Amino acid sequence: MAIQGFLVVSLLFSCLAATSYGEVTFSSLQESLIVTASPKLRQVLKAGEDNIIVSWSFNKSLAAGTDSSYKTVKLKLCYAPVSQQDRAWRKTEDHLNKDKTCQHNIVTKPYSSSNNTFTWTVERDVPTATYFIRAYVYNSADHEVAYGQTTDAHKTTNLFDVQAISGRHVSLDIASICFSAFAVVSLFGFFFLEKRKAKVSQAK
Amino acid sequence: MRLGNMEEFWTFGTPFLKYERSLARHFKLLILNIKPLNSDYFQWQLLICGHFIFRIAAVSGAVFARVAMGTACDLFGPRLASAALTLITAPAVYCTAIANSAASFLLVRFFTGFSLATFVSTQFWMSSLFSSKVVGTANGIAGGWGNLGGGATQLIMPLVFGLIHNIGATKFTAWRIAFFIPALFQTLSAYAIFFLGQDLPDGNYSQLHKSGDKHKDSFSQIFYHAITNYRGWILALTYGYCFGVELTIDNIIAQYFYDRFNVNLHTAGIIAASFGLANLFSRPGGGILSDIMAKRFGMRGRLWALWIVQTLGGIFCILLGKVGSLGVSVAVMIIFSIFVQAACGLTFGIVPFVSRRSLGIISGMTGGGGNVGAVLTQVIFFRGSRYSTETGITLMGVMIICCTLVIMLIYFPQWGGMFFGPSSEGTTEEDYYMSEWNSAEKERGIHMASMKFSENSRSERGKRVGSAPSPTDGTPSTYV
């Protein structure tokens, strides 16, 4: 009898665990943080050089105690819709494990309801695109429970741009040109050698 | 003197030559497979490449390059022609590392694409070195392993890129450095071709020209005899529906599996790569089949084999568009790839016999036909949203079957065609190949290479050699 009871309870418990462990969707998250960032509208930042100062805090107009389960905050750089067009690898999906909107991490910090700020130098591997910043809040089980972002629900306001590095270096340029010149010179060398071989065989 | 039976084929050292030729082509194909480099910077550039006008320009450039390459082979010999082309296009690959705008990227890709014309010189070279009995096998192996390079690079380049990225370069620099690898190999293979290759078993064109054994031919004559030979045009059309289809599938298949069956991008890439990797054995298999059929049935056997294999390829293409489950789809795709690539190998078992004097240009026309077929197919069936991809694939299969029917029109008076035997007038190989030379040229004696070839090509009569008519120039045998 006790064993049966135990089995039923553990079955119920595992079902519950399964549902809570299930995929978290973006639409289930509450927007409870206010996030602001230093770039002005459509300002162009250079990757590897310019800074972004991000500040975030709990939205005080919401009921107190809403943030009791909040443990950590992760800030990410996210693509604006204009930079997602025709690019399936940046697509927005409701299921957060499949969502590819936010691919660049800025910082992860323990949660505190106010006075949070961070200065981030835009990293060198950020591509040229239009962005906004979003903060995901995680509970102690490391699941997303809330978020906040610098833009509105349609992702049209407060967007800024990043200009990527070109990846070119002077050394690469020089190497390319030298090797190319070498190839062309070799070609002329081949023709010259060929003519000489032919003359030699004619002389024989 | 030609490399004839299978023992000579394998021991002469030309397998090395073939491998080096296919290496050369492998690295050209590297440039086409930049999809694996997932850098955002790169992907944006790729989107621009889909522009219609660029495609038209690329195709016309490709066709022109192949015909020009064929001409260069006829005039200067394949060794010099391909070493020259490889070296001339190497700067384009080096300069990919410094491209920084859509325009510069397009230019670089356009010029690198010219290097693919070495396909023509490879087939010409194999056709010159190997005798009729093994020419299909030689062409098939060289062509197949070259195309294999295209599939292999989908796997190799991402690894190279990953390696460089891990060493410490940012992604945007790593892909630039990665392009030095194919560029260096391209330069090295040009050197290998020049110093280790040989145009003909007798020697190189330039030496033979000077010693008088080979005469420098005239471009206008070669060109005229190439374009007036209807068989060249027919083969160009059918090649468009085996190699052209192969190129089309290379472009769309990863996306097809990704969209229709929801596999992840990495898996879709592997499936796509396996399509190209089948070239390891399928195209050589086509060439070997061509030679086996020729041994028994002569040229008629080659023609029938080509028609049957390519039509079967079309049938499996129709099937591919119709199947709805992932496992069956992959299986059908692999069978389809084997037939389509074997058809490419079979085509180049026939091309060496269409013309001797204009072998280069005929090879170039056929190769160019492949590219035109690819673009035509993509434009008709896979552009925009008129047809879903699976409908496009099925319709492409129907088009393959229809366009392959023209093989029935090919007729060699000395050997016959699919439905008719050799001409009752007793036309011989000499008659056919000598018709490309006028009497003034024959008096100068510059037609001797074609004479030698026509003797060699008697094997295309199949097992009936004993009952064939004797050459009109020779004396008939008398009873003793």
Side-chain angles (χ1 to χ4, degrees):
Chain A
M1 209 37 202
I3 307 256
Q4 276 174 323
F6 177 71
L7 277 171
V8 170
V9 168
S10 56
L11 196 67
L12 270 170
F13 185 75
S14 52
C15 287
L16 259 167
T19 46
S20 60
Y21 194 68
E23 293 180 344
V24 185
T25 59
F26 184 70
S27 42
S28 69
L29 299 182
Q30 186 181 23
E31 187 173 4
S32 55
L33 289 189
I34 301 175
V35 185
T36 51
S38 56
K40 304 193 187 29
L41 182 67
R42 302 320 294 258
Q43 182 182 351
V44 179
L45 301 165
K46 291 217 185 69
E49 285 176 30
D50 292 328
N51 292 337
I52 301 180
I53 305 171
V54 199
S55 320
W56 64 99
S57 59
F58 180 67
N59 186 350
K60 296 272 188 305
S61 59
L62 295 172
T66 316
D67 60 346
S68 52
S69 58
Y70 295 1
K71 260 289 186 287
T72 45
V73 178
K74 209 181 263 189
L75 281 128
K76 297 190 179 187
L77 194 63
C78 309
Y79 293 108
V82 62
S83 290
Q84 290 176 299
Q85 261 170 17
D86 293 328
R87 291 174 171 84
W89 63 94
R90 292 180 187 170
K91 210 161 148 214
T92 298
E93 296 272 356
D94 201 30
H95 283 282
L96 286 173
N97 344 2
K98 295 203 181 118
D99 181 41
K100 299 208 173 55
T101 321
C102 304
Q103 294 185 21
H104 303 274
N105 291 329
I106 297 178
V107 72
T108 305
K109 285 237 169 142
Y111 173 76
S112 91
S113 59
S114 58
N115 283 338
N116 299 296
T117 179
F118 185 73
T119 306
W120 186 62
T121 310
V122 183
E123 277 176 20
R124 284 161 56 83
D125 64 353
V126 175
T128 302
T130 309
Y131 296 90
F132 63 94
I133 294 183
R134 183 181 285 168
Y136 283 108
V137 187
Y138 293 81
N139 63 13
S140 44
D142 213 24
H143 296 147
E144 297 88 343
V145 288
Y147 77 100
Q149 59 190 23
T150 55
T151 184
D152 62 355
H154 297 287
K155 299 184 262 185
T156 49
T157 57
N158 284 339
L159 304 172
F160 58 92
D161 294 301
V162 171
Q163 177 68 38
I165 57 167
S166 74
R168 288 176 62 179
H169 293 274
V170 177
S171 50
L172 265 182
D173 294 354
I174 295 179
S176 290
I177 299 188
C178 283
F179 278 111
S180 305
F182 175 69
V184 176
V185 167
S186 307
L187 185 60
F188 286 115
F190 283 179
F191 283 136
F192 174 69
L193 271 174
E194 194 69 6
K195 276 218 152 66
R196 222 175 49 160
K197 252 195 273 182
K199 280 212 184 85
V200 164
S201 69
Q202 189 184 31
K204 279 195 197 148
Chain B
M1 183 263 283
R2 255 149 202 286
L3 302 163
N5 53 41
M6 291 312 263
E7 291 87 69
E8 281 177 29
F9 183 77
W10 291 115
T11 57
F12 185 86
T14 34
F16 153 76
L17 232 188
K18 285 200 318 297
Y19 179 64
E20 153 218 308
R21 300 301 297 111
S22 53
L23 246 190
R25 292 190 54 229
H26 166 186
F27 292 102
K28 272 55 154 222
L29 291 162
L30 271 172
I31 188 70
L32 287 185
N33 294 285
I34 39 192
K35 273 186 288 221
L37 298 181
N38 256 314
S39 154
D40 262 290
Y41 190 60
F42 226 77
Q43 296 275 21
W44 178 72
Q45 311 279 33
L46 274 171
L47 278 173
I48 310 291
C49 289
H51 199 277
F52 191 54
I53 297 188
F54 168 70
R55 289 221 185 113
I56 297 283
V59 160
S60 342
V63 173
F64 169 73
R66 277 156 184 71
V67 176
M69 192 58 169
T71 316
C73 286
D74 282 324
L75 296 174
F76 306 115
R79 174 176 150 266
L80 214 51
S82 52
L85 181 65
T86 310
L87 275 183
I88 284 279
T89 48
V93 188
Y94 285 118
C95 290
T96 315
I98 57 179
N100 65 348
S101 67
S104 57
F105 183 71
L106 286 180
L107 272 174
V108 146
R109 204 189 147 181
F110 180 68
F111 284 113
T112 312
F114 281 136
S115 65
L116 290 174
T118 51
F119 159 76
V120 174
S121 61
T122 312
Q123 304 290 284
F124 179 96
W125 206 345
M126 295 299 110
S127 306
S128 314
L129 276 177
F130 294 91
S131 80
S132 325
K133 286 192 241 158
V134 290
V135 73
T137 310
N139 275 338
I141 295 183
W145 290 3
N147 287 344
L148 174 69
T153 56
Q154 301 237 27
L155 304 171
I156 296 177
M157 279 301 264
L159 290 175
V160 170
F161 169 69
L163 190 68
I164 298 177
H165 183 36
N166 285 336
I167 290 180
T170 53
K171 284 194 292 183
F172 297 130
T173 309
W175 73 259
R176 293 175 184 280
I177 301 177
F179 268 94
F180 271 87
I181 310 289
L184 279 168
F185 270 108
Q186 192 163 330
T187 316
L188 284 172
S189 61
Y191 269 78
I193 294 168
F194 183 77
F195 287 108
L196 301 171
Q198 188 179 307
D199 284 320
L200 294 166
D202 297 337
N204 287 318
Y205 270 44
S206 50
Q207 291 162 289
L208 297 173
H209 280 158
K210 283 272 172 358
S211 67
D213 287 331
K214 192 178 191 331
H215 292 263
K216 235 183 166 152
D217 212 341
S218 102
F219 169 68
S220 52
Q221 286 291 328
I222 300 177
F223 193 69
Y224 172 74
H225 286 292
I227 59 176
T228 50
N229 195 329
Y230 74 93
R231 301 168 194 86
W233 293 101
I234 292 182
L235 286 172
L237 172 63
T238 61
Y239 195 63
Y241 282 92
C242 55
F243 187 63
V245 163
E246 190 183 331
L247 285 180
T248 305
I249 296 278
D250 278 338
N251 282 337
I252 62 153
I253 200 77
Q255 192 73 27
Y256 173 67
F257 277 100
Y258 182 73
D259 288 341
R260 190 161 182 212
F261 300 106
N262 287 319
V263 297
N264 69 43
L265 205 59
H266 188 64
T267 313
I270 294 184
I271 297 176
S274 65
F275 178 81
L277 289 173
N279 263 306
L280 176 68
F281 54 86
S282 52
R283 187 161 174 155
I288 293 174
L289 177 66
S290 191
D291 288 332
I292 291 176
M293 292 295 278
K295 208 160 151 195
R296 186 82 219 287
F297 302 108
M299 176 54 70
R300 295 183 73 184
R302 291 191 198 262
L303 288 168
W304 270 99
L306 174 58
W307 180 76
I308 291 176
V309 168
Q310 195 158 323
T311 304
L312 278 171
I315 292 175
F316 280 102
C317 189
I318 296 177
L319 262 180
L320 179 64
K322 296 252 179 244
V323 295
S325 79
L326 177 61
V328 181
S329 198
V330 173
V332 171
M333 184 201 77
I334 292 185
I335 300 177
F336 163 61
S337 74
I338 292 177
F339 279 106
V340 131
Q341 289 158 6
C344 297
L346 281 155
T347 311
F348 274 90
I350 299 177
V351 164
F353 298 101
V354 169
S355 159
R356 197 60 206 159
R357 189 173 189 184
S358 315
L359 172 63
I361 300 190
I362 297 275
S363 302
M365 275 163 60
T366 312
N371 283 69
V372 171
V375 173
L376 211 64
T377 315
Q378 286 181 77
V379 162
I380 299 176
F381 299 123
F382 299 106
R383 197 162 70 97
S385 45
R386 194 148 113 233
Y387 300 111
S388 64
T389 312
E390 53 262 30
T391 316
I393 292 180
T394 304
L395 290 174
M396 182 168 75
V398 175
M399 195 148 179
I400 294 175
I401 297 182
C402 295
C403 290
T404 309
L405 288 171
V406 290
I407 297 180
M408 299 180 177
L409 298 175
I410 296 185
Y411 180 75
F412 287 93
Q414 72 274 33
W415 298 316
M418 272 175 75
F419 297 113
F420 300 102
S423 135
S424 49
E425 291 159 28
T427 322
T428 64
E429 290 80 4
E430 276 83 3
D431 297 332
Y432 179 77
Y433 291 110
M434 287 304 112
S435 64
E436 294 180 323
W437 303 90
N438 60 38
S439 44
E441 290 163 336
K442 282 189 209 168
E443 247 165 69
R444 282 165 54 202
I446 59 177
H447 64 294
M448 295 312 293
S450 288
M451 273 293 268
K452 276 195 253 177
F453 178 74
S454 34
E455 252 179 74
N456 186 257
S457 67
R458 266 204 221 141
S459 59
E460 293 308 302
R461 297 187 188 181
K463 283 243 151 84
R464 317 170 290 106
V465 173
S467 57
S470 49
T472 46
D473 284 339
T475 44
S477 55
T478 50
Y479 285 117
V480 174

